[in-house]
């Protein structure tokens, strides 16, 4: 496919709304393909430099054309502040189409703003379902899917979820997952990875990489304590880059002493994060995106959640363990099978596509602009 010739969109006609670190990673490929057609709108949901600017710079994205500075706050406040600000912007300068990605509060605000202004909406990473209605993300993704003119579903299974909810086939495009391209582009070479490990005093396959930030895990003192205790008990040292939410909660709940048995780091840039994950023995996480990323390098995962919107990898790349379950036992089962387990994972086909998802998403964007124009 000749990517350079794909985008024939009018300048700034595609409003790409994002607000969090993973949205930058997962939308970077599409934003680049859109070229001058892209109007980048950052809600400001993530506002620390390490959670936002570092990622925009790393993917060589321009400064956002519009920054809304929504910041932290309750879910209702983040959504309503972003919605009102987007509504004002769209009524002054109407884009031809709005693109949102995933399941964050910024995603749902962008989707509602498009809907309120009768602008076609493309939802990237559509059709994912955990069927766990305690997660705000589950509500956000259902709303975005049902408001979308075109749903870009990563897998056949995601497309089937949408059809089961009554979304007609002509509104669904199966694209693969855009994060596969982000990993392919940003995963450092093995020499650079060795260098990065050295900087952190780590040995290859001799540590467990971990990330925790989900509200249902870290906003609950009992759950967070169980997770931190488990990380401290593993047979290999656990490395934990601390999301601002997790850092704050550990302080609020007086769990600082448990962090001392873990190697905690500040939030990492994407290349360093990928390097450490790819060189770890195992990943223990509640992240969504990491579940896809780990299929590329590959590494086994213990996903500490009651449910996952990535069922494709459960039983192969991943073991799903509830936060109250035996995280240590699940991790040790993987560690006992190293390095054979990684060799076996390397043989598996990737369930998230061939690394051309952004180009397919671009086609969906162009088609939705065409179908909306009067001629
Ligand atoms: C959000 C998404 C989640 C996604 C995650 C990626 C929702 C409902 N959740 O969760 O799906 O996986 O982003 O990280 O949208 N904070 C800072 N600095 C920052 C960003 C956040 O201090 O740069 C603080 C906020 O003020 C807030 C807390 O961290 O107190 C949580 O941030 P928030 O944006 O509400 O949700 P995330 O946990 O990041």
């Amino acid at each position: 496919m000749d990517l350079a010739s794909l985008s024939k969109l009018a300048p700034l006609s595609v409003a790409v709304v994002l607000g969090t670190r993973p949205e930058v990673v997962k939308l970077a490929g599409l934003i680049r393909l859109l070229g001058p057609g892209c109007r980048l709108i950052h809600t400001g949901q993530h506002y620390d430099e390490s959670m936002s600017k570092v990622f925009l710079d790393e993917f060589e994205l321009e400064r956002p054309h519009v920054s809304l500075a929504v910041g932290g706050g309750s879910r209702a406040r983040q959504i309503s502040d972003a919605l009102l600000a987007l509504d004002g912007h769209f009524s002054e300068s109407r884009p031809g189409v709005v693109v949102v990605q995933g399941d964050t509060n910024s995603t749902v605000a962008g989707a509602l703003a498009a809907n309120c202004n009768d602008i076609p909406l493309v939802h990237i990473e559509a059709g994912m379902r955990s069927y766990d209605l305690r997660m705000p993300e589950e509500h956000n993704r259902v709303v975005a899917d049902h408001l979308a003119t075109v749903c870009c579903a990563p897998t056949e299974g995601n497309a089937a979820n949408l059809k089961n909810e009554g979304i007609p086939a002509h509104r669904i495009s199966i694209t693969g997952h855009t994060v596969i391209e982000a990993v392919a582009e940003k995963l450092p070479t093995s020499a650079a990875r060795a260098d990065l490990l050295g900087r952190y005093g780590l040995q290859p396959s001799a540590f467990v990489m971990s990330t925790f930030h989900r509200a249902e895990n870290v906003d609950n003192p009992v759950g967070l304590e169980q997770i931190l205790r488990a990380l401290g008990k593993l047979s290999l040292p656990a490395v934990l880059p601390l999301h601002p939410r997790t850092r704050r909660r550990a302080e609020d709940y007086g769990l600082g002493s448990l962090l001392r048995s873990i190697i905690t780091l500040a939030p990492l840039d994407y290349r360093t994060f990928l390097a450490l994950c790819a060189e770890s023995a195992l990943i223990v996480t509640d992240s969504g995106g990491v579940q896809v990323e780990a299929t590329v390098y590959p590494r086994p995962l213990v996903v500490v959640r009651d449910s996952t919107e990535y069922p494709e990898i459960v039983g192969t790349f991943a073991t799903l363990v509830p936060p109250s379950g035996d995280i240590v036992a699940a991790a040790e089962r993987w560690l006992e099978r190293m390095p054979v387990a990684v060799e076996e994972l390397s043989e598996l086909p990737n369930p998230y596509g061939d690394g051309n998802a952004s180009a397919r998403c671009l086609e969906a964007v162009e088609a939705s602009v065409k179908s909306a124009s009067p001629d």
Side-chain angles (χ1 to χ4, degrees):
M1 207 173 320
D2 176 8
L3 299 185
S5 67
L6 275 177
S7 181
K8 300 172 195 78
L9 297 156
L12 304 180
S13 61
V14 180
V16 177
V17 178
L18 49 72
T20 69
R21 178 170 66 172
E23 289 165 278
V24 175
V25 171
K26 295 174 187 178
L27 284 169
L30 175 62
I31 291 169
R32 285 205 217 107
L33 290 176
L34 288 167
C38 176
R39 182 191 314 179
L40 187 58
I41 304 181
H42 197 298
T43 65
Q45 180 177 343
H46 283 178
Y47 48 89
D48 283 3
E49 182 159 326
S50 63
M51 301 288 286
S52 174
K53 185 175 180 307
V54 163
F55 282 74
L56 291 167
D57 289 349
E58 210 172 349
F59 282 94
E60 292 152 39
L61 300 180
E62 275 182 48
R63 229 157 36 101
H65 298 93
V66 182
S67 295
L68 305 179
V70 159
S74 69
R75 178 166 174 243
R77 171 147 313 270
Q78 283 182 331
I79 294 172
S80 54
D81 284 359
L83 172 57
L84 280 178
L86 287 166
D87 187 51
H89 173 70
F90 291 163
S91 33
E92 268 171 32
S93 174
R94 187 187 166 81
V97 57
V98 174
V99 175
V100 294
Q101 189 279 337
D103 52 21
T104 70
N105 296 338
S106 299
T107 309
V108 83
L112 285 167
N115 179 259
C116 294
N117 287 279
D118 200 19
I119 301 169
L121 173 72
V122 176
H123 183 209
I124 315 290
E125 209 183 80
M128 316 240 323
R129 294 290 181 270
S130 66
Y131 299 105
D132 182 347
L133 294 175
R134 292 167 307 166
M135 295 174 70
E137 288 84 357
E138 184 71 3
H139 297 272
N140 291 346
R141 58 176 81 100
V142 170
V143 171
D145 284 340
H146 284 263
L147 294 180
T149 320
V150 181
C151 290
C152 291
T155 67
E156 297 271 358
N158 302 143
N161 292 340
L162 294 168
K163 286 179 198 153
N164 288 341
E165 291 174 19
I167 295 180
H170 72 265
R171 281 175 46 204
I172 304 170
S173 169
I174 299 174
T175 57
H177 207 299
T178 59
V179 86
I180 301 282
E181 291 139 82
V183 179
E185 182 187 326
K186 295 296 177 194
L187 180 65
T189 60
S190 48
R193 299 208 293 263
D195 188 46
L196 281 164
L197 281 196
R199 270 192 237 169
Y200 288 94
L202 298 167
Q203 298 293 325
S205 301
F207 64 97
V208 171
M209 189 66 180
S210 59
T211 75
F212 283 91
H213 73 279
R214 292 275 165 192
E216 67 270 24
N217 280 341
V218 306
D219 287 2
N220 152 11
V222 178
L224 184 57
E225 181 172 347
Q226 281 167 334
I227 289 166
L228 295 179
R229 275 193 196 286
L231 292 179
K233 280 190 204 152
L234 300 177
S235 59
L236 291 178
V239 175
L240 175 67
L242 278 174
H243 185 287
R245 176 176 211 132
T246 314
R247 179 173 39 77
R248 254 180 233 174
R249 291 296 178 260
E251 282 164 14
D252 294 348
Y253 303 149
L255 300 174
S257 62
L258 294 179
L259 294 176
R260 284 199 278 279
S261 351
I262 300 167
I263 303 171
T264 57
L265 305 175
L268 299 172
D269 62 81
Y270 194 52
R271 284 169 49 83
T272 307
F273 180 69
L274 289 178
L276 296 196
C277 286
E279 293 296 327
S280 68
L282 169 74
I283 300 170
V284 181
T285 187
D286 64 2
S287 160
V290 175
Q291 295 178 55
V292 182
E293 290 168 357
T295 64
V296 182
Y297 13 93
R299 279 296 177 274
L301 296 145
V302 172
V303 178
V304 183
R305 285 175 35 179
D306 289 315
S307 60
T308 176
E309 60 280 13
Y310 296 94
E312 301 84 2
I313 56 163
V314 176
T316 51
F317 292 88
T319 313
L320 185 65
V321 184
S324 58
D326 199 339
I327 300 168
V328 177
E332 295 302 329
R333 274 197 297 276
W334 278 113
L335 293 176
E336 279 160 19
R337 294 190 51 241
M338 295 297 287
V340 175
V342 168
E343 282 158 29
E344 287 170 2
L345 295 181
S346 310
E347 303 295 315
L348 295 177
N350 193 308
Y352 298 111
D354 59 4
N356 287 309
S358 296
R360 295 194 190 94
C361 293
L362 176 64
E363 285 169 7
V365 170
E366 292 183 327
S368 64
V369 173
K370 219 180 259 172
S371 67
S373 55
D375 42 319

